[in-house]
Every structure is written in structure tokens, then in C-alpha cells.
Amino acid sequence: MTQPHPELVIEALDVHKSFGELQILKGISLQVRRGEVVVLIGASGSGKTTFIRCINLLEDIQGGRIRVNGHPMGYKQRADGSLARDSERNIARQRRDIGMVFQRFNLFPHMSALENIIEAPIQVLGVPRTSAIEQARALLARVGLADKADHYPSMLSGGQQQRVAIARALAMKPQAMLFDEPTSALDPETVGEVLQVMKELAEDGMTMVVVTHEMGFAREVADRVVVLDQGELIEEGPPEQIFTRPVHPRTQAFLSRVL
Ligand SMILES: Nc1ncnc2c1ncn2[C@@H]1O[C@H](COP(=O)(O)OP(=O)(O)O)[C@@H](O)[C@H]1O
Ligand SMILES: [Mg+2]
């Protein structure tokens, strides 16, 4: 890999991932610039989830490199330039730079919305409780839930829970946010409110990688659409190009199924 580029938040180079004998990612390279919104599309099983889990080392990789904010993920460079596996502690620190939002909200059920948001800033970053609360209230307002601070997840709709999950990720002040089908598990009537929050986040300049089947969102918000197929990145480009003039036959086949 060449020298880190200050504009690049995420750099994946030739990432290979296998589960046992099964090769899942066959050399994926992707660079995401600061403030860029990349939407990742592709058929079920194409490796989208695996790839974004690899970005912050929720999966280890068998080949290639990943750099976040200029730092190699999972490795440290020795004085002679060779690479050594980094300590779990350093990896955990690097992971904090990336917020993740999953299909399932994974909120702590026994904590209110506010408590869910302040937990990690207090426990992990050592933010004083009063400032964590202040920040959490601002984040709840930002995702349109100022009045839900004391509600438990079970009292919230799926869309509201997902917005709390976004606020919780933002509380760690991440350099980038990864979304894995954040609206797929939602009732249709709450999908829009979550996409709206994500759109505002993008407009505020957050660097984002979003796996989604919401092609309207991709068209409107993505700077770039990337197509995965059977563990390979087969095509990428501005949404207008991918959706109206896809070049790869497998992109064409995929889009004709979903559009
Ligand atoms: N933990 C695992 N062990 C074995 N195979 C897995 C595991 N996770 C995912 N896979 C396989 O990897 C492939 C890609 O899965 P995934 O990344 O979830 O695709 P997508 O998110 O695009 O639907 C699939 O064939 C899936 O069965
Ligand atoms: Mg998936």
C-alpha cells in the first residue's frame, strides 16, 4: 500500500476473506474519501455484510490490507516497515473510529434511549456523565427523538429504535459510519424516517458506507454506488451511471430484479 492519503478515511486493498474452504471476498479494493457516501449493492450472499465487517475487523482477513484514517487496521508497522499483528487493545481503539448500524438495532433492552447513548462515551471514552447526557440529548434531537430520552426500546417503534442506534453510534464521534441494511427489518411506514436521518447525516458531511436495497436513497444520496457480485467488486460509479447505464451484465441482471 502506498502512503496514507489525508483525504481517504477508508482504504481497502485487495481484501480476501474465506470461511474455511469457502472464499467469500476475492480481492476487494475500495477507497472512501472524507465526506463521501458510498452505497454498496449486490445480490444476497454477494459478500456485502462480510466486507463491511472486515473494514473494522469484526472479521479477520486472509489477504490484503485495510487502513482507516491512515492507520492500518489490525497491524502495526515495525521500524523496518514490516507489519505485525496489532494488540487487541489498539484494534479496539481503532474500531471506535467507525460507527456501525446493523439491520437489527441491538439496543440494550434494559436501558432507556438516553442510557443507551451515554453508555459507551462514559465507559469507553471516559466522558463525564453530565457532558455525556448533554451530548446524548443533542443527538436525540438531531435524530428527531428529543421527547423519547426516557423511553425503553420496547416502547419505541423499529424506526425510532434504529434512530436511537444511529445516535448511539454518533456519540462515539466516529470518523465514518457503516450501515448494513439499516431499514430491512423495519415496518415500511418507519423506513422513511430512518433514511431521512441518514440523508441529513450525509449532508452534514459524514463519511458513510451504506449497504441497502433502497435504490431511491442510493440515487439521491450516494456519491458513488459500488456493486458486489460473488465476492467481487464488479462495477462502481455515480448513481446516475450505475442505475441508467450499467455496464456489467451481472449489474444489469441484478438491477432488473430489484428495480
Ligand atoms: N460466519 C460465516 N461462516 C460461513 N459462511 C459465511 C459466514 N458469514 C457469511 N457467510 C457466507 O458468505 C457469503 C456472503 O455472505 P454475506 O456477506 O452475508 O452476504 P450479503 O451481506 O451480501 O448478503 C454467503 O455465501 C454466506 O453464506
Ligand atoms: Mg448482508
Side-chain angles (χ1 to χ4, degrees):
M1 216 176 226
T2 49
Q3 280 303 304
H5 192 290
E7 277 280 290
L8 296 177
V9 180
I10 297 169
E11 298 166 87
L13 181 74
D14 200 25
V15 169
H16 286 74
K17 168 73 190 169
S18 304
F19 289 111
E21 296 286 279
L22 199 61
Q23 209 185 359
I24 303 296
L25 301 180
K26 302 166 185 165
I28 303 228
S29 297
L30 179 71
Q31 299 189 325
V32 184
R33 291 190 309 279
R34 200 167 300 283
E36 193 179 19
V37 178
V38 171
V39 167
L40 213 57
I41 64 172
S44 175
S46 58
K48 306 181 297 295
T49 293
T50 303
F51 179 60
I52 66 167
R53 287 173 58 84
C54 286
I55 293 177
N56 68 348
L57 292 189
L58 292 173
E59 304 285 355
D60 58 0
I61 60 177
Q62 280 74 48
R65 301 264 199 85
I66 293 165
R67 202 150 58 189
V68 171
N69 241 353
H71 304 294
M73 280 296 278
Y75 299 90
K76 58 179 179 235
Q77 208 147 12
R78 297 196 189 92
D80 65 2
S82 64
L83 295 177
R85 172 98 188 156
D86 211 342
S87 64
E88 287 309 312
R89 197 189 140 137
N90 282 343
I91 291 173
R93 186 175 303 148
Q94 279 181 280
R95 254 188 213 131
R96 283 186 224 150
D97 276 347
I98 304 180
M100 275 200 87
V101 176
F102 303 92
Q103 189 170 344
R104 297 269 159 209
F105 332 117
N106 310 111
L107 296 177
F108 302 117
H110 58 291
M111 291 184 184
S112 69
L114 186 96
E115 287 164 344
N116 264 281
I117 298 171
I118 63 174
E119 174 76 9
I122 292 175
Q123 299 299 331
V124 180
L125 300 182
V127 175
R129 191 177 169 83
T130 46
S131 25
I133 290 174
E134 196 178 326
Q135 189 204 350
R137 290 199 185 279
L139 286 169
L140 279 169
R142 185 167 169 191
V143 300
L145 295 172
D147 56 339
K148 299 286 191 277
D150 299 325
H151 284 53
Y152 285 81
S154 61
M155 301 157 72
L156 300 171
S157 73
Q160 289 170 337
Q161 289 182 55
Q162 197 60 303
R163 286 187 280 153
V164 174
I166 293 171
R168 183 176 62 172
L170 291 174
M172 294 298 281
K173 299 190 167 34
Q175 299 286 322
M177 290 276 287
L178 309 180
F179 294 86
D180 190 6
E181 300 200 32
T183 60
S184 308
L186 299 180
D187 293 330
E189 65 269 27
T190 68
V191 167
E193 65 197 42
V194 174
L195 294 178
Q196 180 60 31
V197 163
M198 291 167 61
K199 186 179 164 201
E200 287 165 13
L201 203 54
E203 285 164 355
D204 288 347
M206 178 60 76
T207 307
M208 294 164 56
V209 178
V210 183
V211 176
T212 186
H213 297 292
E214 296 288 339
M215 299 301 165
F217 175 87
R219 267 179 196 276
E220 198 184 348
V221 181
D223 295 302
R224 187 153 48 110
V225 175
V226 169
V227 188
L228 290 198
D229 183 85
Q230 297 175 31
E232 291 176 286
L233 194 165
I234 57 169
E235 186 163 1
E236 62 180 305
E240 204 270 322
Q241 178 189 320
I242 299 293
F243 290 122
T244 57
R245 288 171 276 117
V247 174
H248 201 293
R250 285 185 279 168
T251 308
Q252 294 166 358
F254 170 71
L255 289 174
S256 71
R257 289 198 302 275
V258 298
L259 288 180

